[in-house]
Amino acid sequence: MKRCLSTVLGTALLSEMAFWSSPTVPPYKVSQRVLFVFTLSLSLTYVCYTLMSCYTSIQFPLHDAGSLSQPRPEQRPREREEAGEQPATSPRIGVRLEPASSAVLPAEATASSAGWKGSPPPLSTARNWLEREVQESSTPDFGVQRLPQAIIIGVKKGGTRALLEAIRVHPDVRAVGVEPHFFDRHYDKGLEWYRSLMPKTLDGQLTMEKTPSYFVTREAPKRIFSMAKGTKLVVVVRNPVTRAISDYTQTLSKKPEIPTFEVLAFKNRTLGLIDASWSAIRIGIYALHLENWLQFFPLSQIHFVSGERLIVDPAGEMGKVQNFLGLKRIVTDKHFYFNKTKGFPCLKKPEDSSLPRCLGKSKGRTHPKIDPDVIHRLRKFYRPFNVMFHQITGEDFDWEKDENQEIS
């Protein structure tokens, strides 16, 4: 096109040089010639401009017919889908894309940008980016962090760790492994800090955590209610006498110098006065703590798990838990086996692991020998509270079935 324009202008220029160099040109011809040259230059300019416009339209067509605006940037595949457009090819998760070239996306066309800037990248580059997007969306960590919809709130030494490990087998449950202690120790850090501790979940998955001390923390019910009044609560309870001895055994393993169980359990052993201010005793007064929770949550939002039945029939107890949480019954008998050494069930090894999942050394410790008279007095102390607890929950945990059975 430039060559055409140069040829036309060159021819006109030579013609004019020949005319003006002639000595016989009359004066009146000069004005006519000037007007002619001016008109000719305008015409040539218009013709060349028209030809150049047509050439540009053929090489770079406008996006919208008749529009004089600049071509809009190419959209990324995800944006085309959101706009309702069908991509030329729509790869799906699990389908291997064609091998992409080693071209690297320019800085202005990264996955984090709003769209391709400047000229669209090569098709191979777009495919490379899309493949990474698909792979990232398929990773186990894909999802968002949510506040828990269900919490195991207690009780200490009741079997909460066993319950947590069992429910984590369910594919629709993601749970924090450690105890956050948010509603009793770290409430001042705020809900966003609490949320940051939660695992990422997909839509339809349940987020859970467990902190047994919540059950005996007076402020915990109100704080959880303020977070979400629909939160489901799970309480694992155990014969309060057995639980108290287990609690003492754990403390003894960390502090061997502490007094004996008998000394700590009584204010005055001669008079038989139980020291209910000792935490190992106080936690087992379940009815007293439950009344605090019922001020904020209906009984229908609290599920009670028997710590004893969780040992002898783990699948049965887990079936009830799954029903309460609105989950499909996936955790069943096939997930458990009884470990005779430890004295409680263990989870069978997952397909991708070489070892079964049993609770750690801190679980299943041998209890110290306790004076039978002390055990008898403790059972007598707990009996009215147990009756009250059974009446409130409507469940019988069989703690009074054998008054003379040995504490193991």
Side-chain angles (χ1 to χ4, degrees):
M1 193 57 61
K2 293 180 179 179
R3 186 179 300 173
C4 172
L5 179 60
S6 300
T7 302
V8 174
L9 292 177
T11 303
L13 180 60
L14 291 174
S15 175
E16 287 304 303
M17 290 176 64
F19 175 82
W20 292 108
S21 64
S22 175
T24 60
V25 178
Y28 71 93
K29 290 286 188 179
V30 174
S31 59
Q32 294 179 348
R33 198 68 176 184
V34 170
L35 180 61
F36 171 77
V37 171
F38 179 75
T39 304
L40 178 62
S41 64
L42 288 177
S43 300
L44 289 173
T45 301
Y46 176 78
V47 170
C48 291
Y49 177 82
T50 303
L51 291 174
M52 291 180 68
S53 298
C54 293
Y55 178 81
T56 302
S57 299
I58 293 173
Q59 295 298 317
F60 307 101
L62 298 177
H63 186 77
D64 297 319
S67 173
L68 296 179
S69 60
Q70 293 294 327
R72 68 180 182 181
E74 178 66 12
Q75 292 176 307
R76 291 185 298 166
R78 182 175 294 177
E79 292 176 350
R80 289 203 301 268
E81 293 178 2
E82 292 175 352
E85 300 175 17
Q86 294 295 328
T89 58
S90 52
R92 298 178 181 178
I93 295 178
V95 179
R96 181 68 179 176
L97 299 176
E98 295 180 13
S101 69
S102 58
V104 180
L105 285 175
E108 66 270 21
T110 59
S112 61
S113 62
W116 306 117
K117 296 182 181 180
S119 300
L123 180 59
S124 60
T125 302
R127 287 179 181 273
N128 194 23
W129 168 82
L130 181 58
E131 184 173 4
R132 288 201 306 271
E133 286 281 289
V134 172
Q135 290 174 350
E136 290 174 2
S137 67
S138 305
T139 60
D141 289 334
F142 184 73
V144 297
Q145 291 175 300
R146 297 179 173 89
L147 294 171
Q149 298 98 337
I151 303 176
I152 301 174
I153 60 173
V155 298
K156 180 183 179 184
K157 306 308 296 180
T160 57
R161 173 56 62 177
L163 175 62
L164 180 70
E165 292 301 319
I167 198 62
R168 290 175 76 181
V169 174
H170 201 291
D172 291 336
V173 174
R174 298 294 304 278
V176 185
V178 297
E179 297 175 3
H181 283 281
F182 174 66
F183 295 104
D184 58 347
R185 300 179 188 173
H186 306 298
Y187 193 66
D188 60 326
K189 294 184 178 180
L191 283 175
E192 286 309 309
W193 177 86
Y194 184 47
R195 188 198 304 271
S196 70
L197 304 178
M198 299 299 121
K200 292 182 178 180
T201 55
L202 301 173
D203 290 341
Q205 287 186 315
L206 191 71
T207 302
M208 291 188 68
E209 71 114 318
K210 77 107 176 170
T211 304
S213 55
Y214 290 163
F215 188 65
V216 297
T217 301
R218 187 160 190 82
E219 300 81 12
K222 182 178 181 180
R223 290 171 175 176
I224 295 177
F225 183 83
S226 298
M227 176 189 71
K229 61 183 180 180
T231 304
K232 293 185 176 182
L233 309 171
V234 180
V235 185
V236 188
V237 291
R238 185 182 182 187
N239 185 313
V241 178
T242 311
R243 198 221 66 81
I245 298 174
S246 179
D247 196 340
Y248 171 79
T249 304
Q250 183 182 51
T251 304
L252 183 66
S253 67
K254 299 176 182 178
K255 300 177 180 180
E257 71 281 0
I258 63 173
T260 64
F261 182 86
E262 290 83 355
V263 170
L264 295 172
F266 291 94
K267 286 183 178 180
N268 187 317
R269 185 172 180 180
T270 304
L271 298 177
L273 296 178
I274 302 296
D275 187 359
S277 65
W278 183 33
S279 63
I281 300 294
R282 188 179 69 255
I283 291 173
I285 309 176
Y286 302 139
L288 179 65
H289 305 300
L290 181 58
E291 286 182 349
N292 189 30
W293 288 90
L294 292 177
Q295 294 179 25
F296 297 90
F297 294 93
L299 198 60
S300 59
Q301 277 181 234
I302 307 175
H303 179 71
F304 300 93
V305 177
S306 168
E308 287 81 11
R309 289 197 290 266
L310 191 60
I311 295 175
V312 298
D313 183 19
E317 285 299 294
M318 290 308 302
K320 298 175 185 177
V321 172
Q322 291 171 94
N323 289 346
F324 171 71
L325 296 177
L327 300 170
K328 183 179 179 181
R329 283 200 177 194
I330 292 179
V331 183
T332 59
D333 280 322
K334 67 181 181 180
H335 292 95
F336 301 95
Y337 80 96
F338 191 80
N339 187 309
K340 294 181 180 180
T341 303
K342 286 184 173 290
F344 51 76
C346 294
L347 292 166
K348 291 182 179 179
K349 65 179 182 179
E351 294 180 0
D352 58 348
S353 174
S354 58
L355 296 173
R357 291 167 56 186
C358 282
L359 300 181
K361 294 180 180 179
S362 63
K363 310 299 180 182
R365 295 188 184 97
T366 301
H367 292 173
K369 189 70 175 179
I370 306 297
D371 186 341
D373 179 66
V374 174
I375 294 175
H376 175 74
R377 289 178 182 272
L378 281 175
R379 285 176 171 165
K380 186 176 180 180
F381 168 80
Y382 278 120
R383 187 174 295 117
F385 298 111
N386 291 343
V387 171
M388 187 184 304
F389 185 66
H390 297 162
Q391 291 175 344
I392 296 173
T393 62
E395 298 187 35
D396 185 3
F397 297 96
D398 295 329
W399 293 331
E400 310 300 330
K401 183 170 60 175
D402 187 2
E403 286 283 335
N404 298 316
Q405 71 179 12
E406 183 181 356
I407 300 295
S408 59

